[in-house]
Amino acid sequence: MSAELTTLWARTLLHAARVSGVRDVIASPGSRSTPFVAAALAESGLAVRAVVDERSAAFFAVGQAKITGRPSLLIATSGSAATHYAPAVAEAAATHTPLLVLTADRPPELHDAGANQTMDQSWLFAERAVDLGAPDPRGLPALARRVAQAVLRARGGPVHLNAPVHKPLEPVAIDVALPEPPRLSAPERGVDAAAVRHLAERLRRAERPLILCGTVAPALPFDVALLGRVADRAGAVVVADATGPARFRAGTNIICDKADWLVMSPTWRRTLMPDLVLLVGSAPLATAWESVLEEAELHVVAPQGHPNPTSTAASVSLGPLDAMLRALADALPEAASASSYRSEWQQGQDAVNRALETTPSRGFCEADAVRVAIERMPEDSVLFLGNSLAPREANLHARARERGPRVVAQRGLSGIDGLISGAAGAAAASGAPTLLLLGDVSFLHDVGGLLTAKEVQTPLAIVVLNNGGGRIFEELPVATSGVDLRFWTTPHDLDLSHAAALYGHRFARPESPDALAAAVDDALGTPRATLIEARVTPLSWQKVLERL
């Protein structure tokens, strides 16, 4: 195989990717991928970033794509390297996040022969894989076309391009015109007018309607004011999950921000049970909502996927949220009568606030840390919510706002892996001050992401709720089952300042809510990453619920 053909093949591939809409490339080091990394560097219009660890690189790409809405391109060498992409690819698949994975491969004659660093890479991402075959001068136009097709498909989730190449791998000078890929497009899904009329009719008849707004990809067009318009015309209560777009950007007058407490309370859940639920986006986080979704008449509107986890939805409408909610508001009467149901929810919210005020806590508690960290975030900053305890505490304690941060979350599979790397990608893509809120176990799981975060040139506050392990399990049924809970909480006594020092990050360890507020203000005003360790004590959920 000639060096000229290998170079031409790689240049054609990267050129087609760029023309088709790729702008960001994240490459990890390796030899077999040399032609493709060199081609990316030679292609004007591509921003290329080197990340040592493939797992961190992949979550960085996912964080980027959640902000930009276009596929980031990952490049890995052959062998086990791309297996480290798997958690991030799984997250991207579950959330329909744009992602394009390019793996270099050994040529066919080296497979099944015991050759070094050679494995069957076709199974890595199974049905998402496209094998491009070995370079062939007759196949250059087809290569450009197949890459364009892959980029279009990758707008709805990850696509894997596997590319075998022969040595020599190093690029050479070429002076030929590269094949141009076809410019592909897909029609936008429209609004089903009949479905909107049916849903409007069901809302008109409902006496106790509730709108639940879950996670929606931040890159998708979604005017959260439309939620208020629909709610006002339907006389509905609005509950917004903290991982979604509405909790901090829709206005306190329409959002019940203590709803998770109320559905966790058996008494209040019975009192406030809706007769109809309109779920916008993904299902809410708290498991107590499952019984609500099962008992009420459930209707779902979502941009993609099929968010119907209880399998009880009477209807599921897929399409652009803005258009669907606008059409729904237009189909409802202009003004609903005064809603006693809204008043009942307000009474419940007041009861929760009294319970929180009278529940004793020890020292600097999780509730204060979560509330303060989020309240210090300016308008249009980016809140990257971790998984496990952090988003649950945000749902329980973060107050609704009218003009607050955008929210990004890796909630597709709720993994604690790759959160620092994902937040770094979101910060780099948005250019806005970004705050990552996560637990200490999640932090330790992706501590290597601090190396990736070192390259971020925008303010990135990494706020770690350090309660000495996975304390969420103390709030779950396993805590009373008689098992040795250490195998779930995995307690530790690590000093996180050493991690900051290793990677050259600024560090703060505030010991009070006021000190945390000052540390967050400082971090969000400094164009680099800052690690903030909040050593916190838990606030018992059960003690609060006993007061409701």
Side-chain angles (χ1 to χ4, degrees):
M1 187 70 64
S2 71
E4 290 78 8
L5 177 56
T6 299
T7 298
L8 182 57
W9 188 261
R11 289 288 306 275
T12 297
L13 196 161
L14 271 297
H15 178 70
R18 197 268 302 167
V19 171
S20 301
V22 170
R23 294 293 178 270
D24 300 294
V25 177
I26 303 94
S28 295
S31 177
R32 189 62 54 164
S33 54
T34 294
F36 305 111
V37 176
L41 292 170
E43 181 67 26
S44 177
L46 291 179
V48 186
R49 183 183 298 264
V51 176
V52 170
D53 176 359
E54 283 86 3
R55 188 178 74 162
S56 183
F59 277 107
F60 184 95
V62 169
Q64 269 189 333
K66 284 179 181 287
I67 292 291
T68 65
R70 61 176 181 258
S72 292
L73 172 61
L74 289 162
I75 301 180
T77 193
S78 60
S80 64
T83 64
H84 299 280
Y85 287 162
V89 170
E91 165 66 21
T95 54
H96 308 279
T97 300
L99 190 66
L100 194 60
V101 175
L102 172 61
T103 56
D105 197 359
R106 260 44 181 187
E109 64 269 19
L110 294 183
H111 284 257
D112 302 315
N116 183 44
Q117 204 173 332
T118 304
M119 59 176 278
D120 181 2
Q121 297 177 184
S122 64
W123 59 267
L124 286 177
F125 310 115
E127 73 279 4
R128 301 183 178 277
V130 177
D131 196 321
L132 296 176
D136 182 340
R138 297 168 299 178
L140 289 169
L143 173 66
R145 184 258 304 165
R146 296 183 76 191
V147 170
Q149 290 172 319
V151 173
L152 180 64
R153 182 181 163 203
R155 293 185 181 279
V159 173
H160 172 207
L161 299 175
N162 192 55
V165 285
H166 296 80
K167 291 182 177 180
L169 304 170
E170 293 70 31
V172 296
I174 56 172
D175 185 17
V176 295
L178 300 175
E180 291 295 328
R183 297 186 179 273
L184 305 177
S185 63
E188 289 284 340
R189 183 187 288 115
V191 174
D192 186 333
V196 169
R197 288 194 299 270
H198 173 74
L199 183 52
E201 178 61 25
R202 299 309 302 160
L203 280 169
R204 277 195 294 266
R205 293 185 180 183
E207 297 180 357
R208 300 165 68 80
L210 177 71
I211 298 176
L212 278 176
C213 183
T215 306
V216 177
L220 294 177
F222 183 24
D223 182 357
V224 292
L226 292 169
L227 280 177
R229 191 173 165 204
V230 172
D232 287 341
R233 293 190 172 193
V237 173
V238 179
V239 172
D241 199 271
T243 61
R247 179 68 163 263
F248 308 117
R249 298 172 72 83
T252 57
N253 61 319
I254 68 166
I255 300 295
C256 177
D257 56 20
K258 298 296 185 291
D260 277 19
W261 290 112
L262 297 172
V263 295
M264 287 196 298
S265 164
T267 300
W268 278 102
R269 186 165 67 246
R270 286 193 298 271
T271 300
L272 299 174
M273 178 62 68
D275 57 1
L276 181 146
V277 173
L278 174 61
L279 175 61
V280 179
S282 67
L285 177 57
T287 55
W289 282 106
E290 292 177 3
S291 62
V292 177
L293 299 181
E294 289 172 348
E295 294 179 34
E297 178 184 338
L298 174 62
H299 297 269
V300 178
V301 293
Q304 55 207 355
H306 195 90
N308 180 19
T310 60
S311 298
T312 56
S315 71
V316 177
S317 300
L318 302 179
L321 284 182
D322 271 11
M324 288 195 293
L325 292 175
R326 188 174 293 108
L328 182 57
D330 291 343
L332 289 166
E334 287 196 8
S337 57
S339 172
S340 60
Y341 188 47
R342 281 184 167 184
S343 299
E344 292 175 30
W345 275 86
Q346 185 57 56
Q347 292 170 18
Q349 183 129 316
D350 293 341
V352 172
N353 286 327
R354 289 193 296 271
L356 288 170
E357 290 170 1
T358 58
T359 301
S361 60
R362 295 181 293 109
F364 186 17
C365 74
E366 296 161 348
D368 290 334
V370 169
R371 177 180 51 80
V372 168
I374 294 176
E375 286 183 353
R376 302 309 297 181
M377 299 191 67
E379 181 181 356
D380 288 330
S381 58
V382 174
L383 170 62
F384 198 106
L385 270 179
N387 283 319
S388 195
L389 185 66
R392 288 171 171 83
E393 293 284 6
N395 269 324
L396 294 173
H397 301 295
R399 297 165 180 162
R401 293 172 61 179
E402 186 172 359
R403 291 183 294 273
R406 294 175 285 167
V407 180
V408 182
Q410 292 177 178
R411 289 297 305 166
L413 297 175
S414 303
I416 64 169
D417 42 2
L419 294 171
I420 298 173
S421 303
S430 68
T434 300
L435 185 144
L436 167 62
L437 185 67
L438 78 169
D440 49 307
V441 177
S442 298
F443 172 82
L444 295 174
H445 204 287
D446 191 31
V447 69
L450 291 176
L451 180 59
T452 305
K454 191 174 177 65
E455 303 302 317
V456 174
Q457 302 298 312
T458 195
L460 173 59
I462 302 170
V463 179
V464 183
L465 303 174
N466 187 357
N467 51 19
R471 292 301 180 87
I472 188 173
F473 293 103
E474 295 175 345
E475 303 290 346
L476 300 180
V478 68
T480 59
S481 64
V483 301
D484 185 347
L485 205 60
R486 291 176 301 169
F487 286 88
W488 283 260
T489 58
T490 56
H492 66 89
D493 59 357
L494 298 176
D495 182 344
L496 304 191
S497 66
H498 298 301
L502 175 63
Y503 292 101
H505 291 302
R506 303 167 76 240
F507 179 78
R509 186 182 288 135
E511 297 181 353
S512 68
D514 287 345
L516 175 61
V520 169
D521 287 348
D522 178 59
L524 294 180
T526 305
R528 55 182 294 193
T530 303
L531 177 58
I532 301 173
E533 179 187 6
R535 293 189 170 180
V536 292
T537 59
L539 173 66
S540 171
W541 298 354
Q542 192 57 44
K543 288 182 179 179
V544 176
L545 292 172
E546 288 171 357
R547 287 168 165 75
L548 287 177

